[in-house]
């Protein structure tokens, strides 16, 4: 339970920091040249989510377990650090363009540096809260877990929809402002699908844990499994790794399906936000670019995930113990 609470807290804090940084950029750097403003807006969530990625890798995988894991974490940390350096330059130049106070770029640059500095230590503390690896001879999470997960997601959607509907109904009863009512309806839809997306993440945590356990929480080993199972590469595996790869292949289709559910729900929530901005007349260039990027990502990710689900199922069937 404590890991679930920490996981949710991480999402909430990261979201709050991203929104806070974006608000700071909009308020203090809004008069900058358009190119620098867009660049600063793009860099703001990156300097938050980059350290979150580093902390997640340090928290969910034991990088001490193999040289491959150490190299993977180092590469990710190096890329995130490089992004932070570029973002720092962008923030400074955008602040100069907007003639903003000195504290604005200092706060953004120092904040990004602090987040990156604490990411790995916090990840290590998070890893310490995890129970030892369970017996890998146990059955793979199956029908029972999926049914409970679907019930939880559906229940969250119904509760969120009912609460938002009650709010909209009360507003409609005491207000005759059609535009304001439509904004509340769109906000209710956004909150409903966002809450349901978060529920999809939480209910999939046992699957993600089972996936990590199949590779001994060794990121390098899990990367080998992914290459063999999901990408069809021929790599040498010893007997223990072959058994782990089969277990991985049995679990990963479920994990990918829940990932698609989460992505779909989240993108619907973001679409509500875009519609709300369009109704207000605030839909500028950046949201349109982001919307196009979302469509491109979906067009690439959905067929890829479906192919990988099929490959994993075939691998598990072909290598099923006799």
């Amino acid at each position: 339970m404590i890991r679930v609470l920490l996981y949710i807290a991480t999402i909430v804090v990261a979201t709050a920091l991203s929104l806070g940084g974006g608000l700071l950029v909009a308020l203090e750097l809004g008069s900058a040249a358009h190119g620098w403003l867009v660049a600063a807006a793009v860099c703001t969530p990156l300097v938050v989510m980059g350290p979150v990625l580093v902390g997640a890798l340090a928290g969910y995988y034991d990088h001490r377990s193999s040289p491959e894991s150490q190299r993977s974490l180092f590469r990710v940390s190096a890329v995130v650090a490089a992004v932070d350096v570029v973002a720092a330059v962008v923030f400074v130049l955008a602040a100069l363009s907007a003639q903003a106070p000195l504290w604005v770029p200092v706060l953004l640059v120092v904040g990004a540096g602090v987040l990156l500095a604490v990411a790995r230590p916090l990840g290590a503390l998070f890893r310490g809260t995890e129970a030892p690896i369970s017996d890998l001879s146990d059955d793979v999470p199956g029908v029972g877990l999926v049914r409970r997960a679907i019930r939880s997601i559906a229940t969250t959607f119904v509760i969120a929809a009912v609460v938002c509907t009650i709010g909209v109904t009360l507003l409609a009863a005491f207000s005759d402002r059609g535009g304001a009512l439509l904004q509340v309806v769109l906000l209710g839809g956004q909150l409903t699908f966002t809450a349901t997306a978060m529920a999809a993440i939480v209910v999939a945590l046992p699957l993600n844990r089972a996936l990590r356990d199949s590779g001994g929480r060794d990121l390098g080993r899990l990367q080998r499994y992914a290459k063999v199972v999901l990408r069809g590469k021929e790599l040498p595996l010893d007997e223990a790794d072959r058994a782990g790869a089969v277990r991985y292949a049995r679990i990963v289709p479920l994990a990918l399906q829940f990932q698609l559910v989460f992505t779909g729900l989240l993108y619907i929530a973001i679409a509500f936000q875009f519609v709300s901005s369009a109704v207000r007349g605030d839909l500028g260039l950046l949201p349109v670019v982001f919307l196009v990027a979302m469509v491109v990502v979906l067009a690439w990710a959905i067929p890829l995930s479906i192919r990988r689900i099929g490959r994993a199922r075939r691998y598990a069937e072909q290598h099923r113990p006799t």
Side-chain angles (χ1 to χ4, degrees), residues 2-322:
I2 187 171
R3 288 181 63 84
V4 174
L5 294 177
L6 289 173
Y7 184 82
I8 295 174
T10 300
I11 295 175
V12 172
V13 170
T15 302
L17 290 175
S18 298
L19 293 176
L23 183 61
L24 179 63
V25 168
L27 293 177
E28 298 294 338
L29 305 182
S31 59
H34 184 70
W36 288 121
L37 179 60
V38 171
V42 170
C43 288
T44 302
L46 295 180
V47 299
V48 175
M49 301 314 297
V52 170
L53 175 60
V54 173
L57 290 177
Y60 280 95
Y61 304 99
D62 189 355
H63 65 276
R64 303 163 301 178
S65 57
S66 71
E68 291 173 289
S69 291
Q70 294 176 6
R71 287 193 295 270
S72 295
L73 184 57
F74 175 79
R75 285 195 296 267
V76 172
S77 300
V79 170
V80 172
V83 170
D84 278 6
V85 171
V86 173
V89 174
V90 169
F91 291 144
V92 170
L93 294 177
L96 290 174
S97 175
Q99 297 183 342
L102 178 61
W103 65 266
V104 176
V106 170
L107 179 60
L108 291 170
V109 172
V110 171
V114 169
L115 288 176
L116 184 57
V118 303
R120 285 184 63 169
L122 289 179
L125 288 176
F126 184 74
R127 188 175 66 245
T129 65
E130 190 162 32
I133 296 177
S134 59
D135 184 3
L136 295 183
S137 64
D138 294 342
D139 290 337
V140 174
V143 177
L145 183 144
V146 173
R147 286 176 178 172
R148 291 193 299 272
I150 292 175
R151 283 198 299 266
S152 298
I153 294 173
T155 301
T156 301
F157 178 83
V158 170
I159 292 175
V162 169
V163 171
C164 291
T165 301
I166 292 174
V168 171
T169 303
L170 291 175
L171 181 65
F174 296 101
S175 175
D176 57 355
R177 297 175 58 189
L181 180 61
L182 178 59
Q183 291 294 321
V184 174
V185 171
L186 293 172
L187 176 61
Q190 180 184 355
L191 293 176
T192 298
F193 282 97
T194 300
T196 311
M198 295 302 104
I201 289 181
V202 173
V203 299
L205 289 178
L207 288 173
N208 295 330
R209 183 169 56 250
L211 268 182
R212 290 184 294 116
D213 288 355
S214 69
R217 298 174 188 168
D218 181 336
L219 181 58
R221 184 180 298 166
L222 288 167
Q223 288 173 336
R224 289 200 304 274
Y225 292 172
K227 290 176 182 178
V228 171
V229 174
L230 301 180
R231 297 167 61 182
K233 290 194 172 183
E234 295 290 339
L235 297 179
L237 298 176
D238 59 25
E239 183 176 352
D241 276 353
R242 284 195 295 271
V246 171
R247 181 177 174 84
Y248 177 93
R250 295 172 62 192
I251 302 170
V252 75
L254 288 174
L256 288 174
Q257 289 174 47
F258 276 101
Q259 181 177 311
L260 287 174
V261 170
F262 161 73
T263 303
L265 291 169
L266 183 62
Y267 276 27
I268 292 174
I270 295 174
F272 270 96
Q273 175 60 39
F274 284 152
V275 173
S276 178
S277 298
V279 170
R280 293 196 307 269
D282 298 334
L283 191 63
L285 176 63
L286 185 60
V288 172
V289 172
F290 190 72
L291 181 60
V292 173
M294 284 172 50
V295 174
V296 171
V297 169
L298 284 178
W300 167 78
I302 292 177
L304 177 64
S305 297
I306 292 174
R307 287 197 302 270
R308 288 184 169 181
I309 289 171
R311 285 176 183 167
R313 286 174 172 168
R314 288 192 296 271
Y315 186 93
E317 182 65 25
Q318 292 169 1
H319 297 83
R320 183 173 54 184
T322 57

